[in-house]
Every structure is written in structure tokens, then in C-alpha cells.
Amino acid sequence: MLSQPGAALQRNPIIAQMLERETGRRKPQGLPHALIIIVAVSWSLFQLWICSPIPYSIGFGVFNDTATRAIHLSFAIFLCFLGFPFLRSSPSDRVPFYDWAMAITAAFCACYLFIFQAELVRRPGIPAPQDVAVAIVGVALLLEATRRVMGVPMTVVAIFFLIYVFLGPYFPDLVSHRGASLSRAASQFWLTQEGVFGVPLGVSTSFVFLYVLFGAMLENAGAGAYLTALSFTLLGRLRGGPAKAAVVASGLHGLISGSSVANVLTCGPVTILLMKKAGFSAEKAGAIEVAAGSNGQIMPPVMGAAAFLMAEYTNIPYSRIIQHAFVPAILAYFSLLYIVHIEAVKMGMGSAGKAMTPFRARLLRGLILLSGGAVVVCVAYYVLAWIPTVFGSYSFLAFGFLLTAGYLLLLVISLRFPRLPEGDADALMRADSVTPTLFAGLYFLLPTMVLVWGLMVMEMSPGLAAYYACLMMIMILLTQKPLAALIRREPVKPRLTEAASRLLLSLMNGAKNMVGIGLATATAGIVVGAVSLTGVGQVLASLVEVISGGYLPAVLVLTAVLAIILGMGLPTTANYIIVSTLLAPVIYNISAAHGMGIPYLAVHLFCLYFGVMADATPPVALAAFAASGISGGNPFKTGVQGFIYELRTAVLPFVFLYNQEILLINIKNVWHFAWVFLTSAMACVAFASITQRYMLVKTKIWEMVALALAMMFLFRPDIPQDTLFPPYAELPPSQVMETVAALEEGGTMRLRLETDYGNGRVVRQTVVLPCVGEDAEKRLENAGAYLAWDGDNLMVDDVGYASRLERLGVNMEDPTRVLGVEIPNDRPSKWIFSAPGLLILAGVYLAQRKRKRAGDAARSREAAGAAPQGLPLVPEA
């Protein structure tokens, strides 16, 4: 996951601090060092074992969820106390006795659920005194381990929620609760799957570890160097090429790494150096890497472990989540590429090393490359989908045979080209041709193909698909160097030793990189457990609704601010868990109460995006500190500039909540998708031009207003559509039953309600209810709505317990009148209304091009007038 920067960089105090956060500062020698390696490798092997089908085939070594989570946390917490010292002044070359004691005690407390599983099952909810003691010690040591690895802020958040559990009656009335006994809290947080050993840690155990291990294997096999070299070969010689290559390289690294700091430390030592050579300031070079590295957490398939948690929280298959998240991630990187291009144009940069290829030729070459890549991807996908149909039960063997043959073929082809430069900036800039670099490591894409085949074609679980991808990586790690030596007729034995060392290093690094994630998800379980124990989620929902006045945009802004504030001290994964637990239901319910029906997945992605923003938001921007340590720039200025670049990432969540086609929801065909992507990309161009105040030349005020209008038409064509053509027509209460009866089974019905809360507060809202049942009365009852006439008014006479209507805030305490039922209007497609946006954008472009040509002509006349008559306009050689 994290390749180690060079020795010079490691001496930098900021880089050293970032590396300590990732892998631990303590470097003991002798037996403790060997023990750390053995434990780390054992952890990786254990995770491979529990995710493989072998235990179920032989009937041995099968562990249930409780056991795997307990063992997983025991490995993480044991490695933490051995690898992370108590204080920065504590010994770093040995493990003190108190850390040994804490490591062993913490590991025992974590494994307590596994060791005494049978006894705990026989006394559910009635913990014995020793159970409570273990829980208290376990939570205390977990908080200490979290402080060492993740820092003080996350520990403080967890402690606050623990205090809230016990001192609930003493809090203000709005957020008070009965409180909980020590026995009840111990059972909730440590002895059940409602707290520390809950869903977040389960996701870390079942899915996340193997994807982190997969990334570590790719990095140690040389895939990181390959992706960086390929990016520089493709883009390095364009205007501002090093910066563009840094963006693409970070995006490709995001495919295998879910950490913004890891992305910066992996790509930064090369990309930031080349950006500074090209003319970017230290702060801007670092900020570009910050923005690119942070967005690695929104790039599927890993997404910083959030995609796996999302799958658990939303009950949406993981394969669908990464599909929905793909287009926004591509738009974020496309916007950053355009911003980098604007920066290069503003600074008057040319190409790196040789004359730039004409625009038309570059455009044609890019289109050919993209088209070729798309054709290869489509052919590969349909071939993979064709295998199960043809080979049936033998499809796995057929796929393995094709994969092995393809690997050997691509490996032989790669040997015909020069070896890839690893970390050599000058060698990267000297590379001229794409073909040698592309084929020199094309076989690195095969493990990703295995992952896609398992997820999309065979519909495996994410853990099993990652298991087979890791097996493919193990084969590559063990064979690529020895086979290359054999074909080149070089000594094979040294290559075999190197291959074994790389595999061992991958297993060790994968485990070390998981220590922080494992502890973060376990500690986040304390927050989740406290929310479910105290019911503060419902209280917070009411509080947010009161503060926002039930106005959805205000709720979204509050959520974004909270996510950024929490993210200043929490890792993105923990931030996402807390914010989605507290506020995702609030957003979802308020949107449903207003008749919008925002998908739950879009709400969770919204929470994730603003958690990512925190890594680039001063004053605590870890990615910015890492980048400034490499660039030598000011950390605060780097963070501010990175935040400005990241504004494009902050806009996207507000857009895809309302324009859900960007998430590939309700996409009808390929032309629909193409139009959505084109208009969204052009909207990103407009937004980048506004934030940078530049397109071809500096933008004027009227041009910025026009670009903002174009961006609205392109990102939100539903606004002019709804203004000109209302989406729904409201029918009177007398037609409610008739209309509901005519609706399609399994669809939705929209009731317009008016609730009188007293004190003159009357709220009107549209509720969207599921349409399930044979007739109108049954459909309404299934949704929780029991209607009755009271004179001329149709009233909600009763509300079903735990029904959809009750969850939307309708109850019997406040009289609710049915104003009518809404039915959709026939109206033109909203995408017609994005065409004016393209026209406005084109108008601004033409106006800027005219102004640019006039400026170029004026500068040419000035240069001609300044030159002596009869002399050439260029100096003599």
C-alpha cells in the first residue's frame, strides 16, 4: 500500500511523522523485530484463510463472525502496542515491559469473545463480573491503542460518547436520556456485536483487509512504478505535463490504495519534484498532489474501506456501489486535470522538452487511445461473461487456464522492452513512446481483471473476489522475476530469493497498513453502540430538523460542515461511519418527507465525500502536511491551495443528490449515459473556470455569471424543467382512493399532507409511500396510513406502528389532513434543458478566444515595433 520514500525524504521530520502514522515509529531489533514480522505475516495468512473456500471444503478451520472479528482485533491491537510507542520520547529501538504487558492483555481481552464464546452464549445480556472487568480493560486499552495510532481527536470523540452513555440524565433536556448501568454498557460495547465488534469491525475483517493486502502486493510487485511511469509517458510532455501526470498517477494509485496520505507519499516524491522542475511553486505542486491523492479515497474499487461499509449499511451489493461511485470519481479527476491545465496556461508553460503536438493530432491520438481501451475493456468483459455460459461448472478452470496463458504471454512480451524506472524522475521524463511503457507491465492489470470477473460476472462476495485476486498477485510476485531471469538466461536463484522476500514484505506491509483501519473501525463501533444504546440518533434528527427548519439544503450544509470538522481529527473511514450513522437517516427522512425520495446510497456518498474533504482542509490537513514535507513548501499555504482545488469535490455531492443520473441511477441507454457524462464534464469545466477565474484568458465578471448559469443548466437541468413544467399535478382528496387504486403495484404513491403542530405551526409536506397491496385501502394501510373523513376533510385517522408513514414523522398526537394526491405530469426530458448550458459555455469560449487572439496580435505588434528596422526578431545564435 505504502512504498517507502528514499532515505533523504525519510529524514524530513514531516515525512517521518506521516510514516509513523502509517506504519509505526518503533523499530526494535532481535526477537521483538522477528516477532512483529511473524505476527504480521500470520495475520495476513489468517485473513486469506478465513476468506478462502478451503475451510468449508475440508470442514476444518471454519470460524463464525464473532470469532473472526475477535481474532482480527487481537492481531491489530497487539501489533499496535509493539510498533507504536507510548510517547514520542519513549524508546524506539526496544519494546518496554509495560508495552509487552498491554499488548498481551489487550490481545487477550479482544480474544475473550472467541475463547469464552460458549459461556457467553449461555448468559446473554447477563454479564458475569469477569465479563465486565474484561470489557472495561478492553475498552480502555482500545482507546489507548487508538490514541497511539490515530491521534488524540478520535480518542476524545469515543470518550465523549462513553461519558454521554453514563451521564445522559445530566445533559440538557433536548439530548438527555436515562443513562446506562456499567453492566449494560459492558455488554453493549464489548460482549455483543452492537459495539466494538459490530458492523464496522466486521467489514474490516471480512473485506477491507484483503483489499489492503491486494494493494500492498501490487505495490511490492512494481505496479505502482508502472502506473506512475505510464501516466508520465502519456501526459508528461504536454503543457503542464508533470502535474497532469501526477493527477492521473494518483487516480490510478487510488484503484489500489484507499489512503490519501499513502497516495501522496507514494506518488509525491517523483511527481512533486517534476512539477517544481516544470515551474510550479512548491505550494502549488504540493496542493495538486494533495487534491489528487485525497480523491484516491473516492476512486473505486477500494474507496478507503467506505464502499464495503456502505454495502453493509445500505444493503446494496458492493459491485453496484462501485458502479454508482465511478462517474463522480472520474469527474473529480477530470476537473483537476482541467484546473492543472489552466494553471499551466496562466504561467505560460510550454511542453516539456520538445515542441507540442498540434491540438488536433493530440485530440485524435487521445480519442484513438480511449476508443481502443474501451474496445479492449468491452471485449474482455464479454469474454469473461461468456466463460460461465460455455464451460458451466468448469468455468473456474477455464478462466484460470486463460488467465495463466495470458499472464505468460504478457510477461514474455514485457521482456522485449526496457525495465521500468522506479522512482527515477529523469528517466520518466526521458520516456518518449507509450508502447514500451504500456507493454512493460501490462500483466499487472490481470489481477484487477480477476477482481472484476469475481464481482461482476460470477457475483462473488467482495472478500472471495479479493481472495482470488490476491492469489493471482501471489503467483505474479513469486514468478515474474524468476521467469524473467530464466528467459533472459540469468541466474535464477537470486531472483527466487528476491521473489520470496517481496511476498513476505507484502504480507507484512498489508498487516501493518491494516493496524490503523482495524483500530479505527473498532473505536467507531463505540460511537455506533452509543447511538443505538441511547437513542441519540432520533434526538439528533429532531435537533437538526429544528435548526434547519426542515429545509433540506440547510441540513446538507450542516452535515458537510460536521463531516469536515470531524475529519480534521478522524480518519476518513471513522468519519464516514460516525457521520453516516448520525445524519444519513436525517437527510434521507427529510428528503422523503418533502417528496424527493433521494436514494440512500446517494446520501451515504454525500457523507463520504465531505469526510474526504477534511484531508485537504486546513488547519489539520494530513495530506497537505505530507505533501509540504516533500515539496519544502509552507504546510498551511499548501493546505489552503489544496482546499481551493478540492472545491470541485465539494460541489459534486450537492449535485448528485438531485441529479442522480450522475450516479448511473435511472440511466436508460448508452446515449443517455453519454449525454449525462458530456454535460457533467462541461459543467465541471465551467466550475473550474469560475474558481480559477480563467479559461483562455482571465474571465470578466459577466463571463463568470454566464459560466455559473451554464453550470446550473448542465448540472441541474431539472431546475428550469420544474420551473416551466411542474413535475406533479395535485388531485383533490375526493380522488385519493381512486388514484391510489390505479397506481402500478410495487410503485410509489405521493400524498400531500398538512399537519398542525399547535402554537400556529402548520407544516405542509409531500410523503412518498410504497404502493403494495391489492386495492387502495390495503395499499394505504400497508404504508401505515388509515384515512377517514371528518366532515369535508380527509384526515389521517391512525398511523401504523413502525410504518413508513410513522418514520416520516406523522403521528396521532398532531392532527394531519390529506390535501390531495400527486400524479406525475407528462413533460419533456430534463436533458433538453441542458442544451442552453452548452450554448452559453460555447459563447463564453468564443468571446475568450476572440479576446485572446486580439491580445496575441497586440503583443506581436509591440514586439515588431520594439525590434530595430531591418533586423531579425530573434537574437543571433
Side-chain angles (χ1 to χ4, degrees):
M1 212 50 158
L2 177 65
S3 61
Q4 300 293 337
L9 284 175
Q10 290 191 45
R11 287 193 294 270
N12 184 299
I14 298 179
I15 295 298
Q17 185 177 1
M18 294 297 107
L19 288 172
E20 291 166 16
R21 175 68 62 89
E22 292 286 325
T23 59
R25 183 169 68 89
R26 183 176 285 148
K27 308 297 179 188
Q29 303 298 321
L31 183 60
H33 176 66
L35 181 62
I36 290 175
I37 294 176
I38 292 171
V39 172
V41 172
S42 300
W43 189 12
S44 294
L45 294 176
F46 169 76
Q47 296 290 155
L48 287 169
W49 175 263
I50 63 174
C51 289
S52 75
I54 298 176
Y56 302 94
S57 300
I58 64 177
F60 174 76
V62 178
F63 299 91
N64 59 27
D65 287 345
T66 301
T68 55
R69 294 176 189 183
I71 297 172
H72 178 86
L73 181 58
S74 66
F75 273 118
I77 205 165
F78 186 80
L79 287 175
C80 166
F81 283 113
L82 294 188
F84 292 81
F86 179 69
L87 297 171
R88 294 190 61 84
S89 58
S90 300
S92 59
D93 57 345
R94 59 184 177 85
V95 181
F97 73 93
Y98 54 83
D99 278 345
W100 281 111
M102 285 193 283
I104 295 170
T105 305
F108 169 77
C109 292
C111 268
Y112 187 79
L113 273 71
F114 170 58
I115 299 171
F116 299 98
Q117 186 174 1
E119 289 82 351
L120 291 172
V121 169
R122 285 195 291 268
R123 51 175 187 266
I126 313 174
Q130 65 267 23
D131 300 338
V132 176
V134 167
I136 294 173
V137 174
V139 169
L141 290 175
L142 174 62
L143 293 175
E144 168 58 17
T146 303
R147 182 196 66 81
R148 295 189 183 195
V149 179
M150 311 309 302
V152 173
M154 186 168 185
T155 310
V156 170
V157 170
I159 292 174
F160 170 79
F161 275 91
L162 286 173
I163 293 173
Y164 179 68
V165 166
F166 293 109
L167 302 182
Y170 303 100
F171 275 70
D173 291 340
L174 188 61
V175 293
S176 64
H177 64 93
R178 293 186 308 176
S181 65
L182 186 60
S183 175
R184 178 72 181 91
S187 177
Q188 176 82 3
F189 290 123
W190 199 262
L191 303 177
T192 67
Q193 293 188 2
E194 300 295 326
V196 170
F197 299 96
V199 170
L201 186 64
V203 170
S204 175
T205 304
S206 304
F207 308 138
V208 178
F209 191 103
L210 287 194
Y211 283 82
V212 172
L213 179 61
F214 178 63
M217 288 180 174
L218 278 169
E219 197 66 52
N220 280 287
Y226 169 68
L227 295 175
T228 303
L230 183 61
S231 303
F232 274 90
T233 306
L234 288 170
L235 302 172
R237 293 187 177 277
L238 300 180
R239 188 194 300 270
K244 293 175 181 177
V247 173
V248 174
S250 290
L252 294 174
H253 276 272
L255 295 172
I256 61 176
S257 168
S259 167
S260 56
V261 175
N263 278 356
V264 170
L265 293 180
T266 300
C267 301
V270 174
T271 59
I272 291 177
L273 173 63
L274 291 177
M275 281 190 274
K276 291 177 67 177
K277 282 186 175 182
F280 288 93
S281 66
E283 284 76 20
K284 285 192 174 182
I288 291 170
E289 185 57 52
V290 166
S294 297
N295 285 160
Q297 295 181 97
I298 62 173
M299 175 63 76
V302 178
M303 296 175 63
F308 311 103
L309 289 161
M310 229 176 273
E312 292 293 318
Y313 289 151
T314 61
N315 289 323
I316 296 174
Y318 168 77
S319 56
R320 277 187 54 201
I321 286 178
I322 60 177
Q323 290 176 39
H324 293 313
F326 185 70
V327 171
I330 294 298
L331 290 175
Y333 275 104
F334 170 78
S335 303
L336 186 56
L337 276 174
Y338 182 67
I339 289 173
V340 166
H341 178 75
I342 290 176
E343 292 283 16
V345 171
K346 285 197 292 187
M347 288 187 284
M349 290 184 183
S351 60
K354 63 178 181 181
M356 292 181 63
T357 309
F359 174 75
R360 291 183 180 178
R362 285 187 283 128
L363 180 62
L364 180 62
R365 187 171 63 185
L367 290 175
I368 291 174
L369 185 63
L370 289 175
S371 302
V375 169
V376 170
V377 170
C378 290
V379 170
Y381 177 79
Y382 284 109
V383 168
L384 294 178
W386 166 77
I387 290 176
T389 305
V390 174
F391 293 97
S393 59
Y394 296 98
S395 59
F396 188 83
L397 294 176
F399 180 74
F401 174 79
L402 290 175
L403 191 69
T404 304
Y407 166 62
L408 294 175
L409 177 62
L410 291 176
L411 181 62
V412 171
I413 292 174
S414 71
L415 298 179
R416 300 178 58 186
F417 300 99
R419 290 183 174 90
L420 293 172
E422 297 192 21
D424 187 345
D426 294 329
L428 286 173
M429 290 305 296
R430 287 195 300 270
D432 287 330
S433 178
V434 174
T435 303
T437 306
L438 177 64
F439 283 98
L442 197 58
Y443 58 88
F444 286 127
L445 302 182
L446 293 177
T448 304
M449 185 181 296
V450 173
L451 195 61
V452 172
W453 181 75
L455 290 172
M456 305 296 184
V457 178
M458 301 303 294
E459 297 183 351
M460 298 176 181
S461 69
L464 186 59
Y467 167 75
Y468 286 120
C470 286
L471 286 187
M472 181 65 195
M473 277 310 308
I474 290 173
M475 184 177 76
I476 291 177
L477 279 166
L478 291 178
T479 61
Q480 64 170 342
K481 299 291 184 181
L483 285 177
L486 187 64
I487 295 172
R488 287 173 172 154
R489 297 183 179 179
E490 298 174 351
V492 177
K493 187 175 179 180
R495 296 301 182 183
L496 286 171
T497 304
E498 180 185 356
S501 299
R502 283 177 179 260
L503 176 59
L504 186 67
L505 184 63
S506 300
L507 295 172
M508 183 179 67
N509 284 347
K512 282 187 174 183
N513 293 336
M514 269 302 300
V515 171
I517 297 176
L519 294 176
T521 52
T523 307
I526 294 177
V527 178
V528 176
V531 170
S532 62
L533 181 62
T534 62
V536 70
Q538 298 177 354
V539 174
L540 185 64
S542 302
L543 180 62
V544 170
E545 190 167 4
V546 169
I547 294 175
S548 64
Y551 185 53
L552 183 59
V555 177
L556 297 178
V557 171
L558 285 172
T559 304
V561 171
L562 176 64
I564 291 177
I565 292 174
L566 284 176
M568 291 181 183
L570 304 184
T572 304
T573 303
N575 185 2
Y576 163 71
I577 294 170
I578 294 172
V579 175
S580 63
T581 300
L582 295 176
L583 292 178
V586 179
I587 298 173
Y588 180 73
N589 290 331
I590 289 179
S591 70
H594 286 75
M596 292 182 56
I598 296 176
Y600 210 32
L601 170 65
V603 176
H604 277 260
L605 282 173
F606 181 91
C607 297
L608 170 65
Y609 268 59
F610 282 98
V612 170
M613 282 289 296
D615 276 347
T617 305
V620 183
L622 294 180
F625 277 94
S628 63
I630 299 171
S631 68
N634 181 284
F636 185 78
K637 291 182 179 178
T638 301
V640 171
Q641 188 65 56
F643 177 77
I644 293 172
Y645 290 153
E646 277 288 79
L647 286 176
R648 76 205 191 286
T649 307
V651 168
L652 282 173
F654 285 99
V655 173
F656 62 57
L657 281 184
Y658 296 92
N659 185 3
Q660 293 144 25
E661 283 93 338
I662 293 178
L663 299 177
L664 302 185
I665 296 174
N666 298 325
I667 294 292
K668 297 179 177 62
N669 50 53
V670 66
W671 302 112
H672 186 191
F673 166 75
W675 185 253
V676 170
F677 187 82
L678 172 65
T679 53
S680 300
M682 292 301 100
C684 291
V685 168
F687 180 76
S689 300
I690 293 171
T691 57
Q692 298 299 306
R693 293 205 63 182
Y694 203 94
M695 185 182 278
L696 300 178
V697 293
K698 188 175 181 179
T699 55
K700 297 182 177 180
I701 297 297
W702 73 265
E703 289 174 331
M704 295 182 69
V705 173
L707 287 172
L709 187 62
M711 185 178 68
M712 185 272 291
F713 276 107
L714 294 170
F715 265 149
R716 294 288 312 279
D718 57 298
I719 293 179
Q721 181 197 34
D722 292 345
T723 302
L724 299 175
F725 302 92
Y728 298 99
E730 184 176 330
L731 301 179
S734 59
Q735 298 185 32
V736 168
M737 304 303 289
E738 177 185 350
T739 304
V740 171
L743 293 174
E744 183 179 353
E745 170 74 16
T748 58
M749 49 186 169
R750 302 173 60 90
L751 297 182
R752 187 76 176 151
L753 306 179
E754 180 185 81
T755 303
D756 186 356
Y757 291 100
N759 298 324
R761 183 179 173 225
V762 178
V763 176
R764 292 187 175 186
Q765 63 179 338
T766 299
V767 294
V768 182
L769 303 174
C771 190
V772 180
E774 300 174 356
D775 53 32
E777 187 173 353
K778 193 66 176 176
R779 290 176 176 181
L780 289 166
E781 290 178 359
N782 287 337
Y786 296 84
L787 308 184
W789 286 97
D790 182 11
D792 294 334
N793 295 324
L794 182 61
M795 306 296 293
V796 177
D797 188 54
D798 195 7
V799 179
Y801 175 71
S803 64
R804 172 68 174 163
L805 189 61
E806 186 183 56
R807 290 197 298 271
L808 292 176
V810 179
N811 55 67
M812 292 309 303
E813 297 176 2
D814 305 304
T816 301
R817 182 164 65 99
V818 179
L819 301 177
V821 60
E822 295 181 345
I823 59 173
N825 280 325
D826 291 330
R827 55 184 188 156
S829 170
K830 72 177 182 179
W831 294 107
I832 295 175
F833 298 92
S834 59
L838 293 175
L839 294 176
I840 295 172
L841 187 61
V844 174
Y845 171 80
L846 293 174
Q848 291 229 339
R849 188 175 70 169
K850 181 178 179 181
R851 202 157 71 249
K852 182 177 184 300
R853 286 180 174 177
D856 291 343
R859 283 189 292 272
S860 297
R861 288 193 298 270
E862 290 177 2
Q869 193 71 21
L871 293 179
L873 297 180
V874 294
E876 296 182 1

